Amino acid sequence: MIFSCFSVVSCDPWEDENDGGVGGNPDEPGVSMLLKEIKLMTGEIEGKVTYSFDGQQRLTKTVEYEDITDQTSYVESVYQYPAEGKINLTEKVYSEGELQFTNSVEFEILSSSQIHALIQSDLIGEINSDITYSTPCGISKIVNTIDVGNGPETSTQTFEFFDEKCSAMEYLDGDWEQTIFNDDKFSPKGDPIKKAIGITERNPIKIESQGNDIETITYQYNENGYPISAMHTFSPESGEENYTETFIYQ
């Protein structure tokens, strides 16, 4: 989904009592490392994701291949920064060289805690999203409104943080969806919205979902606290296949 790359927040006791704007989190990496690519191995199948950044270290493009032997099937995501406080994302999905569908998002940062997103999807139409942020963790609430033909329909995602690593429980319309446990190291994946409002990204080490669906992630780190590899292991109930990631930096 369109917000699956974003993490989340609430005002808990470890947060900065004087927080009132962008960049309130002092726990930032001493060295900023930019990704070049992530290699993925699922069984005998090798995939990869390539990353591009501009001169201000802002993410500008990712290209994701599920199988590198098929260069005609991929997902291309392009980020643009047309004005202060505005970020545009265009995601195009290709299969065998043919464009399958396009998603686009126009983000407008209204304040250090409020963002509006207008989503246009070939699959589900137009969605208006009102997103609430706070430091140090990220999103605390997303209210999505979609026109389903007989009038607008609204859903609400909320996130409750319970430790200084920004581990969180996620709810959809009040019902628990999953719990994400994070490490205390640095994620290199460069979410543009988090970067714009001063959120330090962490790496998930365990994700528990309904039906005893559990994903465990084990990392190796470099001297700067960034991952160099990750092993993703799933419970039998998840129906997912284990895979590994190798992180290559610029």
Side-chain angles (χ1 to χ4, degrees):
M1 288 300 293
I2 211 77
F3 292 111
S4 62
C5 61
F6 300 152
S7 64
V8 289
V9 192
S10 66
C11 292
D12 289 310
W14 64 84
E15 299 186 26
D16 183 357
E17 295 178 356
N18 297 313
D19 174 48
V22 173
N25 181 15
D27 188 15
E28 298 176 350
V31 176
S32 179
M33 300 192 69
L34 301 180
L35 278 171
K36 180 179 180 181
E37 68 178 43
I38 299 176
K39 293 183 178 181
L40 303 100
M41 287 297 302
T42 307
E44 298 297 319
I45 299 175
E46 181 178 350
K48 72 174 181 180
V49 185
T50 62
Y51 290 77
S52 301
F53 297 84
D54 65 13
Q56 299 181 52
Q57 298 189 352
R58 299 179 303 188
L59 183 63
T60 56
K61 184 178 180 181
T62 65
V63 183
E64 180 177 355
Y65 300 90
E66 187 173 317
D67 184 346
I68 62 171
T69 64
D70 179 9
Q71 294 288 301
T72 66
S73 299
Y74 57 93
V75 179
E76 179 185 79
S77 300
V78 175
Y79 296 87
Q80 297 177 310
Y81 305 86
E84 185 72 24
K86 294 182 182 293
I87 302 173
N88 294 340
L89 164 64
T90 302
E91 178 186 78
K92 295 185 176 182
V93 179
Y94 294 87
S95 178
E96 298 181 347
E98 297 291 330
L99 178 63
Q100 301 299 302
F101 60 88
T102 300
N103 297 319
S104 64
V105 190
E106 296 179 359
F107 296 99
E108 183 175 4
I109 301 173
L110 305 175
S111 70
S112 61
S113 62
Q114 296 292 324
I115 294 175
H116 179 75
L118 174 61
I119 304 166
Q120 301 282 352
S121 171
D122 287 347
L123 297 179
I124 54 179
E126 182 177 289
I127 304 173
N128 280 278
S129 293
D130 293 299
I131 309 165
T132 303
Y133 273 81
S134 68
T135 56
C137 295
I139 300 172
S140 58
K141 184 168 71 172
I142 304 173
V143 179
N144 293 314
T145 303
I146 181 172
D147 190 341
V148 293
N150 56 349
E153 184 175 292
T154 298
S155 64
T156 302
Q157 292 173 269
T158 54
F159 305 86
E160 294 182 3
F161 293 86
F162 54 84
D163 65 19
E164 70 281 359
K165 302 171 187 176
C166 297
S167 301
M169 291 182 288
E170 178 180 340
Y171 299 86
L172 178 61
D173 293 331
D175 295 326
W176 177 78
E177 290 280 294
Q178 63 180 7
T179 299
I180 301 176
F181 301 86
N182 292 329
D183 64 10
D184 60 354
K185 302 299 192 295
F186 303 114
S187 171
K189 294 187 177 180
D191 182 291
I193 299 295
K194 292 179 186 176
K195 181 178 177 66
I197 64 173
I199 301 295
T200 299
E201 294 185 72
R202 303 298 182 186
N203 303 291
I205 57 174
K206 188 177 184 181
I207 302 172
E208 297 180 348
S209 304
Q210 297 176 3
N212 200 33
D213 183 344
I214 300 172
E215 178 183 1
T216 303
I217 308 105
T218 304
Y219 298 91
Q220 299 287 331
Y221 302 94
N222 62 22
E223 66 278 8
N224 296 315
Y226 286 91
I228 56 175
S229 66
M231 177 67 197
H232 296 251
T233 305
F234 295 88
S235 63
E237 292 84 354
S238 73
E240 299 288 338
E241 189 172 357
N242 299 342
Y243 69 94
T244 61
E245 294 177 293
T246 301
F247 299 84
I248 300 170
Y249 295 92
Q250 298 187 21

